[in-house]
Amino acid sequence: MVLSRFWLVIFISSILFVVVSLFSGNSYTIDHVLNGKKDDPILLSEHYLEQMPVFIKDSLKKAPDQTMVINRDTLNADTTYVYKNKVVKVFSGVQKSDGLLPTCKSTLLDLILPLMAYLAFFCGLMELLIISGASEKLAKVLSPVFVKVFPSIPKNHPSISYMTLNFAANFLGLDSAATPFGLKAMESLQTINPEKDKASDAQIMFMCLHASGLTLIATSIIGYRAAAGASNPADVMLPCIITSFIGTIAAFLIVGIKQKINFKSASLVLGLMVLIAAIVGLLMYVNHLDLIGKNYFTSNLSALILVAIIAFTLILSFVKEKKFTEAGTTVYEAFVTGANNGVKTGVTIFPYVLGMLVAISLFRNSGLFEIVSNWVAFAFSNMGVNKQITDALPVALLRPFSSAGSRGFLIDSMNTFGADSMTGRLSSIFQCSAESTFYVIAVYFGSVNIKNTRYALGTMLLVDVICVITAIFVASWFF
């Protein structure tokens, strides 16, 4: 219900703002909101050639392509004059994201189809792990900890192994693997959910822990920083780990208090200590590496572990081939069956993702998001917050809505202020410290047709705020 109302508010307020802007003269056209493409110039006005100033008129006549660009600098939007069919079109600024209709197309072609391919492959592997018995053994090993965090899950339940693989993939920055494992976990949790259209306690806990985005290897962020010319692309790795870890602990505590979890459990404390020890050990190892060593380690560890998981699954399936025969199938046929289920899951979640992304597209292109972010930055600046911090806030504000959109702000902030500036580094920490909340809600709950998300959305947004505040303090401390 909360998600539905929030979606309606975004959609309706954006439409009203677009219409008011058009009829009040603040916008010349609203076509870009429907049909425009990201980074396309925005049409401001049209004039007859005779109405233009003399220097513009002469320049357009002399230009080979009858196009003139002024104010060409890196900090302000260029103004472009294009003379065509007796009319001069004036463009300024660029579109922040694809319009509504291109978003519909790109959601299918650039997001859902690749996601379906990932789902097909990893769900195929999951089927092999299930039949070979590996997932059952993993669930038995981790049950003592998981039954404390998820009291409603029966001991040795298959969802435990799926959630473990999802968390592991998230830790290592393996987004393409994390989503299939996570969707499989949601499907498994749905089998023990007594109210099928209402999120269970276990599903909410899993979603909030997943969305808190604990990341040990921020591979993509390091790549963006390297491309932007950072002197040490991996210097945000430790702040990213600290911020995302605090976000994860906050999510666990908030949901745990709500669900009356026993925080004094010995197995729970032991599991938490093992996790902290693993993080500290990783940090100590990475910290003693030089620049080239850090880049080499971060770029190869995640890939090696993913390859190891694939190799382990296939080798184990070969060794346990007898179990596949007993199940009336073969290793290859089992993989195909799992892959087919993955494709079906991708088809199921498409409408949920589409509905969310077109609303976000309209929200950004209407100009409403920019006004909100400017007001937030203005409020922070009046509170005495450093301008380098307020310049990074658009990344934090857009991150819950769109990973791609916030990534665009991240790249722009590094290009504008420098990858090694406080703004560039803080933007990087914002980008890797949490998930895209509304996308995650749409995908995960949509995959099992849950309509009532209960307190999941509110908790996830609260964790986002905690991550933003933590990121500011951590970045100020480190840089």
Side-chain angles (χ1 to χ4, degrees), residues 4 69 91 137 181 184 192 194 209 216 243 444-445 454:
S4 175
V69 180
F91 299 90
K137 290 181 180 178
F181 294 147
K184 196 72 177 176
I192 55 174
L209 291 178
L216 300 183
T243 303
Y444 282 76
F445 283 126
R454 298 170 66 197

Side-chain angles (χ1 to χ4, degrees), residues 62-179:
K62 294 176 182 177
D65 56 356
Q66 295 188 315
T67 299
M68 177 186 176
V69 180
I70 62 174
N71 299 333
R72 187 181 295 277
D73 63 72
T74 57
L75 297 180
N76 301 300
D78 295 340
T79 300
T80 304
Y81 299 86
V82 179
Y83 178 48
K84 188 176 181 181
N85 297 329
K86 300 181 180 180
V87 173
V88 178
K89 294 186 176 183
V90 183
F91 299 90
S92 184
V94 294
Q95 193 159 326
K96 300 299 182 183
S97 65
D98 286 344
L100 191 147
L101 299 180
T103 295
C104 293
K105 179 181 177 181
S106 62
T107 299
L108 176 61
L109 298 181
D110 300 334
L111 184 61
I112 295 299
L113 289 181
L115 179 59
M116 287 173 65
Y118 298 143
L119 285 170
F121 179 72
F122 286 104
C123 286
L125 291 181
M126 287 301 303
E127 190 71 15
L128 300 185
L129 288 171
I130 293 169
I131 297 177
S132 67
S135 62
E136 183 181 355
K137 290 181 180 178
L138 181 61
K140 287 181 179 179
V141 172
L142 296 173
S143 271
V145 175
F146 272 77
V147 294
K148 301 300 181 183
V149 180
F150 303 90
S152 60
I153 297 180
K155 190 176 181 180
N156 304 334
H157 194 265
S159 60
I160 294 174
S161 57
Y162 304 147
M163 287 190 287
T164 301
L165 289 170
N166 171 264
F167 293 145
N170 263 338
F171 293 167
L172 300 167
L174 301 172
D175 295 337
S176 57
T179 301

Side-chain angles (χ1 to χ4, degrees), residues 119-358:
L119 285 170
F121 179 72
F122 286 104
C123 286
L125 291 181
M126 287 301 303
E127 190 71 15
L128 300 185
L129 288 171
I130 293 169
I131 297 177
S132 67
S135 62
E136 183 181 355
K137 290 181 180 178
L138 181 61
K140 287 181 179 179
V141 172
L142 296 173
S143 271
V145 175
F146 272 77
V147 294
K148 301 300 181 183
V149 180
F150 303 90
S152 60
I153 297 180
K155 190 176 181 180
N156 304 334
H157 194 265
S159 60
I160 294 174
S161 57
Y162 304 147
M163 287 190 287
T164 301
L165 289 170
N166 171 264
F167 293 145
N170 263 338
F171 293 167
L172 300 167
L174 301 172
D175 295 337
S176 57
T179 301
F181 294 147
L183 292 175
K184 196 72 177 176
M186 286 295 284
E187 290 174 8
S188 184
L189 291 171
Q190 184 71 349
T191 62
I192 55 174
N193 184 3
E195 300 180 69
K196 300 301 182 184
D197 63 341
K198 184 178 179 181
S200 66
D201 284 351
Q203 287 173 322
I204 292 174
M205 176 63 85
F206 168 63
M207 282 291 299
C208 292
L209 291 178
H210 167 81
S212 62
L214 177 55
T215 303
L216 300 183
I217 307 294
T219 309
S220 59
I221 299 299
I222 293 171
Y224 298 140
R225 287 182 52 74
S231 58
N232 182 2
D235 63 1
V236 298
M237 184 174 168
L238 181 54
C240 284
I241 293 174
I242 293 173
T243 303
S244 60
F245 181 70
I246 291 175
T248 301
I249 294 298
F252 175 59
L253 291 175
I254 293 168
V255 179
I257 292 170
K258 184 80 174 178
Q259 298 181 1
K260 297 180 172 60
I261 288 175
N262 179 18
F263 294 107
K264 296 180 181 179
S265 166
S267 57
L268 186 59
V269 173
L270 179 62
L272 185 60
M273 289 177 64
V274 170
L275 178 60
I276 294 174
I279 293 174
V280 172
L282 178 67
L283 292 177
M284 290 177 64
Y285 173 75
V286 173
N287 193 51
H288 91 279
L289 298 174
D290 59 14
L291 175 58
I292 294 178
K294 287 179 181 177
N295 293 338
Y296 178 80
F297 177 79
T298 55
S299 62
N300 284 294
L301 179 63
S302 300
L304 281 174
I305 291 179
L306 180 57
V307 170
I309 291 173
I310 296 171
F312 170 80
T313 303
L314 296 176
I315 293 171
L316 183 66
S317 300
F318 176 74
V319 172
K320 301 288 185 179
E321 195 169 12
K322 187 177 179 180
K323 289 193 173 184
F324 289 85
T325 304
E326 293 171 353
T329 185
T330 65
V331 174
Y332 182 71
E333 288 172 348
F335 175 83
V336 171
T337 300
N340 188 43
N341 291 332
V343 172
K344 291 177 181 177
T345 301
V347 173
T348 300
I349 65 177
F350 171 56
Y352 294 91
V353 177
L354 178 67
M356 188 58 66
L357 292 186
V358 293

